[in-house]
Amino acid sequence: MRNGATELKQVIYKKGDIIETTIIDISHTGEGIGKTDAFTWFIKNTVIGDSVKALVMKTKKSYGYARLLEISRESSDRILPKCDIARKCGGCSLQEMSYESELKLKENMVYNNLIRIGGFSKEELSTKFLPIIGGKTPFRYRNKAQFPIGKNKDGKIIAGFYAGGTHSIIEVNDCVIGVKENKEILDIILEFMKSNKIEPYDEKEHKGLIRHVLIRKGFYTHELMVCLVINGITLPKNKILVDNLKKIKGVVSICLNINIEKTNVILGNEVITLYGRDYIFDNIGDIKFQISPLSFFQVNPAQTKVLYDKVMEFATLTGNETVWDLYCGIGSISLFLAKKAKKVYAIEVIERAINDARENARINNIENVEFFVGKAEEILPRIYKEYSAKKNHLDMIKPDVIVVDPPRKGCDIACLNTMLEMSPKRIVYVSCDSSTFARDLKYLCENGYALQRVQPVDQFARTMHVEGVAELIRTTCYFPQK
């Protein structure tokens, strides 16, 4: 056992060694971080403050990975997980940490990245960094679940989730961050498969019929969708299944998604309706959304409303503004903005999402929003260049506000530079990755903008993901380097 040698250069760890350490931090992937000598260890299923023994699994020059063997002294932040397979599943990396501690961890992660990556000072953030907004509960918040279907070692048909980094299915009877109806629906489907000898999909052999079960619930409307993803074009004896699923309160949509490709992509492009509609409705605030099996929709509607309200607050719209919404998805933020703006322009690369956005605008009788299909880093510079040369549509190329909600990789530099050239009075930056969030805020603040407020929002309880919203105000004009 290696416990703290005095000669740091002589300490060499190898696979199979047992180490003792105290967890001092959590990595961005949810692993506990401990140290022995100058060596850093990443250990899953640990909480800050735990003293642990762990088995060395892999080492690099100055860090390594170890498997938890024993908790010698439990952290005061440690709780019993609600899910008895949390460690096996790996979907929730923070099940054993109190929610209060989880929120503080996430708040610190955003704050520290703003200092370390963004270059903002503690003095500056002391008046501009707002306390994280957590959910009312860290459980039962997800309105969507995708369950792979397979067999266990005994040949029993099971539903569950893939273990971290694998395609081995961990059987899950009731995921505690999903809705209660999931279990009832899965029980019916699995019994139907067993009774009618319908085989689950085997991805190695590319045989079997049922690949996944997708379940969506409208938290506002209480409507339920059940969609079976199949490796075929028909489901034998589907009327039996439909009749049983119809008995569940709220089920208004039962459909098949056709995916006969040898691929890890879950959904195919074709949907066949077996019962009711091929979509459900749900609301975020007073905006109504039509959601199909293929639609992207925020999985935590309660906290999404909190997030969007914060975006609206930071945008400070009066009804006379022109706004751009970049990386708009199905236009959920765009439609919120359009309610209080003069005109909204929005860009999204996925054409199917834009089709959903246009349909949702129609459903809500919103006419002051225009959607463009393409990459924001290509469409925005092209429009700016085209209309700058024509010297018309000045409101379009000189907007009052730009809202940007990019993927985890953050904004492309071409997009950032065009935003700067457009020189809006205000930029509202929404992010699901605090490191690229800090990086892009730094760039914008080095080129004519000042940080006003930053608000972390917890969208994905029991995981390490956290949203951030920042308000930036233009202080000087941007002059791009030649």
Side-chain angles (χ1 to χ4, degrees):
M1 184 178 295
R2 302 178 186 272
N3 258 339
T6 56
E7 296 292 333
L8 299 185
K9 292 183 179 180
Q10 296 180 3
V11 178
I12 299 174
Y13 297 97
K14 63 182 185 299
K15 183 176 180 178
D17 283 347
I18 295 176
I19 56 136
E20 293 184 8
T21 186
T22 297
I23 304 303
I24 57 174
D25 203 353
I26 303 290
S27 74
H28 72 280
T29 55
E31 298 160 310
I33 299 174
K35 287 184 177 292
T36 54
D37 312 304
F39 210 84
T40 300
W41 296 101
F42 296 92
I43 308 170
K44 287 184 178 180
N45 307 310
T46 56
V47 173
I48 295 173
D50 281 343
S51 293
V52 303
K53 290 182 181 179
L55 181 70
V56 174
M57 304 302 292
K58 183 169 68 173
T59 60
K60 298 292 184 179
K61 185 176 181 180
S62 60
Y63 67 93
Y65 298 89
R67 179 165 58 85
L68 178 65
L69 294 177
E70 175 188 326
I71 301 174
S72 309
R73 181 176 57 81
E74 289 191 352
S75 166
S76 59
D77 295 332
R78 175 172 285 278
I79 61 171
L80 285 174
K82 276 201 172 187
C83 177
D84 58 5
I85 59 163
R87 292 189 180 185
K88 292 181 181 178
C89 173
C92 298
S93 55
L94 302 178
Q95 279 264 358
E96 295 171 287
M97 178 183 288
S98 71
Y99 191 47
E100 294 78 10
S101 300
E102 175 184 335
L103 291 177
K104 191 62 181 177
L105 173 70
K106 292 176 175 179
E107 182 177 288
N108 288 340
M109 181 169 66
V110 178
Y111 179 83
N112 290 333
N113 278 336
L114 288 171
I115 292 173
R116 182 175 60 87
I117 299 172
F120 299 98
S121 68
K122 291 182 179 180
E123 291 73 22
E124 184 177 7
L125 293 179
S126 67
T127 58
K128 297 175 180 179
F129 189 87
L130 304 173
I132 191 169
I133 302 175
K136 291 182 179 178
T137 171
F139 301 107
R140 303 294 184 195
Y141 66 82
R142 283 188 65 97
N143 59 12
K144 174 188 174 184
Q146 294 177 145
F147 297 92
I149 307 298
K151 288 185 176 180
N152 65 13
K153 293 179 180 179
D154 299 324
K156 175 188 172 185
I157 299 174
I158 61 171
F161 299 114
Y162 293 128
T166 78
H167 268 220
S168 298
I169 298 174
I170 303 297
E171 185 175 4
V172 177
N173 293 321
D174 182 21
C175 174
V176 296
I177 65 170
V179 298
K180 291 182 178 180
E181 291 92 341
N182 288 344
K183 182 180 187 303
E184 188 177 1
I185 291 167
L186 288 175
D187 287 347
I188 289 173
I189 292 172
L190 295 178
E191 179 57 35
F192 165 77
M193 293 177 66
K194 178 182 175 182
S195 299
N196 294 282
K197 297 181 171 54
I198 295 175
E199 290 292 304
Y201 180 67
D202 183 329
E203 64 179 15
K204 291 182 181 178
E205 300 295 330
H206 193 47
K207 294 179 180 178
L209 185 62
I210 298 183
R211 304 174 71 130
H212 282 77
V213 174
L214 166 65
I215 304 170
R216 289 184 181 270
K217 180 178 180 179
F219 276 33
Y220 179 85
T221 63
H222 305 292
E223 293 183 347
L224 285 164
M225 169 189 289
V226 183
C227 179
L228 280 72
V229 184
I230 62 172
N231 177 41
I233 57 173
T234 60
L235 176 64
K237 302 182 180 179
N238 65 69
K239 188 176 184 304
I240 298 172
L241 179 62
V242 168
D243 287 343
N244 287 327
L245 289 173
K246 279 166 41 178
K247 297 174 185 176
I248 300 174
K249 184 179 179 180
V251 171
V252 298
S253 173
I254 304 173
C255 51
L256 303 176
N257 177 265
I258 309 303
N259 185 356
I260 59 175
E261 301 298 323
K262 194 171 184 179
T263 175
N264 289 334
V265 176
I266 293 175
L267 294 171
N269 292 317
E270 183 181 356
V271 176
I272 298 173
T273 305
L274 299 180
Y275 167 76
R277 328 183 204 108
D278 62 355
Y279 57 86
I280 61 172
F281 288 111
D282 202 13
N283 284 47
I284 299 177
D286 61 353
I287 305 293
K288 187 177 185 179
F289 293 92
Q290 178 177 303
I291 309 160
S292 77
L294 303 176
S295 297
F296 170 81
F297 192 67
Q298 294 283 0
V299 299
N300 187 340
Q303 284 299 93
T304 296
K305 173 65 165 54
V306 171
L307 181 71
Y308 289 1
D309 283 346
K310 192 57 63 173
V311 171
M312 293 297 294
E313 178 189 336
F314 285 8
T316 60
L317 302 178
T318 65
N320 299 312
E321 293 84 5
T322 300
V323 183
W324 275 94
D325 179 17
L326 310 181
Y327 309 92
C328 72
I330 64 166
S332 49
I333 293 180
S334 309
L335 301 183
F336 264 72
L337 295 165
K339 287 277 191 176
K340 293 189 176 181
K342 178 182 177 181
K343 179 74 176 185
V344 175
Y345 300 98
I347 302 175
E348 169 57 44
V349 69
I350 301 173
E351 185 173 5
R352 189 169 67 209
I354 288 293
N355 292 336
D356 286 341
R358 288 170 177 153
E359 178 61 17
N360 287 322
R362 185 194 67 77
I363 289 169
N364 289 277
N365 298 311
I366 295 174
E367 298 180 348
N368 60 330
V369 58
E370 184 175 348
F371 296 99
F372 298 87
V373 179
K375 295 180 179 179
E377 59 267 26
E378 295 175 359
I379 297 291
L380 196 68
R382 190 189 74 201
I383 288 175
Y384 181 75
K385 182 177 180 181
E386 178 182 344
Y387 287 107
S388 293
K390 293 180 179 179
K391 299 187 184 302
N392 59 3
H393 288 78
L394 286 179
D395 62 333
M396 190 178 189
I397 62 171
K398 292 294 181 183
D400 300 286
V401 181
I402 292 179
V403 176
V404 56
D405 185 7
R408 295 193 186 283
K409 67 178 181 179
C411 285
D412 185 278
I413 191 66
C415 182
L416 289 173
N417 283 338
T418 306
M419 289 165 58
L420 291 168
E421 290 186 85
M422 285 180 154
S423 194
K425 298 173 185 175
R426 181 175 279 102
I427 295 174
V428 181
Y429 194 122
V430 185
S431 174
C432 58
D433 186 292
S434 61
S435 58
T436 56
F437 180 56
R439 179 200 69 196
D440 289 351
L441 293 184
K442 178 182 181 181
Y443 187 79
L444 292 168
C445 289
E446 287 175 342
N447 289 280
Y449 282 82
L451 184 67
Q452 296 300 297
R453 291 179 283 181
V454 178
Q455 176 68 73
V457 178
D458 184 31
Q459 284 273 87
F460 310 104
R462 311 284 77 180
T463 77
M464 283 298 294
H465 301 302
V466 60
E467 296 275 339
V469 189
E471 177 191 6
L472 304 175
I473 300 293
R474 186 185 69 214
T475 56
T476 61
C477 292
Y478 171 70
F479 299 98
Q481 294 182 353
K482 300 293 183 182

